[in-house]
Amino acid sequence: MKTIRKILVLVIAFASLMSILALGGCSKDSGKKKIGVSMPTQSLQRWNQDGAYLKEKLEKAGYEVELQYANNDVTQQVSQIENMITSKCEVLIIAAVDGDSLVNVLADAKEEGIPVIAYDRLIMKTDAVSYYATFDNYMVGTIQGEFIESALDLKNAAGPFNIEVFAGSPDDNNARFFYQGAYDVLSPYIDAGKLVVVSGQKDFETCAIPAWEAETAQNRMDDLLTAHYATGTQLDVVLSPNDSIAIGIANALDNSDYTPGEDWPIITGQDCDIPNMKNIIAGKQSMSIFKDTRTLADQTVAMVNAIVDKKEVPVNDTETYDNVIKVVPTFLCEPVFGDINNYQELLIDSGYYTEDQLK
Ligand code: BGC
């Protein structure tokens, strides 16, 4: 009996020792699959949120996450992605600084057999991008155009109304979709003379704001006001593709003679960033587009899970997003209209922001 007990004690001690060793091993190398997340910049609110949600949701799904921000610098993003490849990430999730500049580094990813998900922005000119998760970019522009159409009652009003047009960064494939979506709604009114682009600057290249910089937008708006509106011509509406550009436009108007609630022009936007929601409340911006980054993160995690489990990857568009080398299978989330009338329900009641954040 004694010997049996001794043996039992020894077996239990040995088993405990083994489990301690095993646990020790686990903490050194979690054994979890690693996912690389490369975001373009921390300077705009939305990418901080995108990064944070992706990390949280991927970790919840059992992955280890390497999250990097590239400071809007292509070289930095390329070297961060190189490190993710070297450290054997299973999947890369990338929101490109410049959609055209990742061809070489992604060739390395492909050689290592690492699938790549283009996040929000399509990665161009490479067959190494496997999937694309984004919001319906053309629809974003359509919603902005239709907002202007209805705010000015363009179907019925005689006009003419004066408009200036801004577009996003030319190195971001999304920017042309936003522009085209809005322009397709507005161009019949421009052609009919109901909407007048007083500066005459209306093609994408002329109106584009590199890197979506608020300051560049402010300078362009300053120049337009000085050159075309200094002698009493009223600016009625500004098509802005996103919120950072809308901030620049509003700053320029703030420094001129326009007054919110009186002659302030209609200004569109996108992202529902906090400073812009404050501007909407203050009457300095008319609308924005809510792209719930929680939804996009969920969709992206679903893609990662399917890739890792070798299951069918969820997509709902296999035609629209041609990156020159291939049509990239895409999941499109739905963008939602936001303004002064629905922001409470859309952003606060849904838990996206607290009331205090918008004060
Ligand atoms: C995104 C927009 C964002 C812009 C500037 C675009 O690619 O789709 O939501 O406002 O980049 O960061």
Side-chain angles (χ1 to χ4, degrees):
M1 226 19 209
K2 260 191 183 168
T3 342
I4 293 175
R5 212 180 289 150
K6 263 189 195 161
I7 290 171
L8 257 177
V9 169
L10 275 174
V11 167
I12 289 168
F14 182 69
S16 314
L17 181 67
M18 289 312 285
S19 67
I20 287 167
L21 284 177
L23 271 180
C26 229
S27 65
K28 257 192 231 145
D29 169 8
S30 66
K32 290 177 180 172
K33 293 195 156 75
K34 195 174 359 165
I35 311 296
V37 179
S38 171
M39 292 284 118
T41 173
Q42 279 184 297
S43 68
L44 280 195
Q45 184 196 324
R46 75 151 290 185
W47 301 113
N48 292 290
Q49 261 161 304
D50 286 289
Y53 285 136
L54 276 170
K55 186 165 166 20
E56 179 193 317
K57 287 168 191 282
L58 283 165
E59 282 175 352
K60 226 183 209 160
Y63 302 102
E64 188 186 331
V65 178
E66 190 174 330
L67 167 64
Q68 301 281 352
Y69 290 90
N71 203 19
N72 261 342
D73 183 288
V74 173
T75 321
Q76 201 167 323
Q77 186 163 46
V78 168
S79 95
Q80 288 171 343
I81 295 171
E82 262 158 12
N83 287 338
M84 289 172 185
I85 297 170
T86 316
S87 70
K88 304 254 172 282
C89 284
E90 293 277 327
V91 179
L92 298 178
I93 300 170
I94 302 171
V97 170
D98 172 346
D100 289 341
S101 302
L102 299 178
V103 175
N104 293 339
V105 70
L106 291 198
D108 294 347
K110 190 175 177 191
E111 213 173 290
E112 293 299 320
I114 304 173
V116 174
I117 299 173
Y119 182 87
D120 195 75
R121 298 173 170 173
L122 186 58
I123 302 171
M124 308 299 287
K125 299 177 188 160
T126 168
D127 68 343
V129 53
S130 324
Y131 298 97
Y132 180 31
T134 190
F135 285 88
D136 188 330
N137 296 303
Y138 184 84
M139 194 194 283
V140 168
T142 306
I143 297 172
Q144 292 168 337
E146 286 177 349
F147 175 79
I148 293 173
E149 181 183 49
S150 107
L152 293 175
D153 192 20
L154 290 174
K155 284 187 183 148
N156 304 303
F161 300 101
N162 295 332
I163 183 171
E164 292 300 333
V165 176
F166 282 68
S169 191
D171 56 9
D172 182 343
N173 186 59
N174 290 355
R176 288 169 204 276
F177 280 86
F178 301 149
Y179 171 85
Q180 208 52 52
Y183 207 78
D184 287 348
V185 177
L186 300 177
S187 67
Y189 300 108
I190 295 176
D191 294 346
K194 257 192 200 185
L195 278 178
V196 180
V197 185
V198 176
S199 68
Q201 299 174 16
K202 54 186 183 210
D203 63 287
F204 176 85
E205 306 298 338
T206 321
C207 301
I209 301 293
W212 306 88
E213 283 286 346
E215 214 183 304
T216 316
Q218 181 168 346
N219 292 338
R220 177 164 182 257
M221 191 71 247
D222 278 339
D223 292 347
L224 291 172
L225 289 170
T226 311
H228 305 283
Y229 297 89
T231 53
T233 308
Q234 164 71 26
L235 175 61
D236 298 304
V237 47
V238 187
L239 171 68
S240 166
N242 88 327
D243 277 356
S244 57
I245 291 176
I247 285 285
I249 294 165
N251 288 346
L253 290 161
D254 244 340
N255 296 336
S256 73
D257 291 337
Y258 287 88
T259 313
E262 289 178 23
D263 54 357
W264 196 267
I266 291 163
I267 304 177
T268 57
Q270 164 181 205
D271 292 333
C272 287
D273 281 349
I274 289 173
N276 298 76
M277 295 318 296
K278 289 183 178 170
N279 266 3
I280 287 181
I281 294 164
K284 293 183 182 178
Q285 184 172 323
S286 315
M287 57 84 73
S288 192
I289 304 278
F290 181 44
K291 293 160 74 167
D292 192 333
T293 43
R294 295 169 298 192
T295 317
L296 188 58
D298 282 336
Q299 273 312 323
T300 309
V301 175
M303 278 184 168
V304 170
N305 284 336
I307 292 171
V308 169
D309 297 342
K310 302 201 170 8
K311 295 214 171 107
E312 197 179 321
V313 175
V315 293
N316 59 12
D317 184 312
T318 49
E319 285 169 13
T320 311
Y321 288 97
D322 188 341
N323 81 347
V324 185
I325 305 288
K326 68 186 266 197
V327 176
V328 185
T330 298
F331 194 96
L332 290 177
C333 302
E334 202 179 317
V336 177
F337 168 82
D339 74 352
I340 187 83
N341 298 314
N342 71 352
Y343 82 92
Q344 174 80 33
E345 192 189 338
L346 192 65
L347 301 171
I348 296 173
D349 299 352
S350 76
Y352 202 73
Y353 295 140
T354 63
E355 194 113 44
D356 280 350
Q357 282 177 294
L358 302 188
K359 275 194 181 133

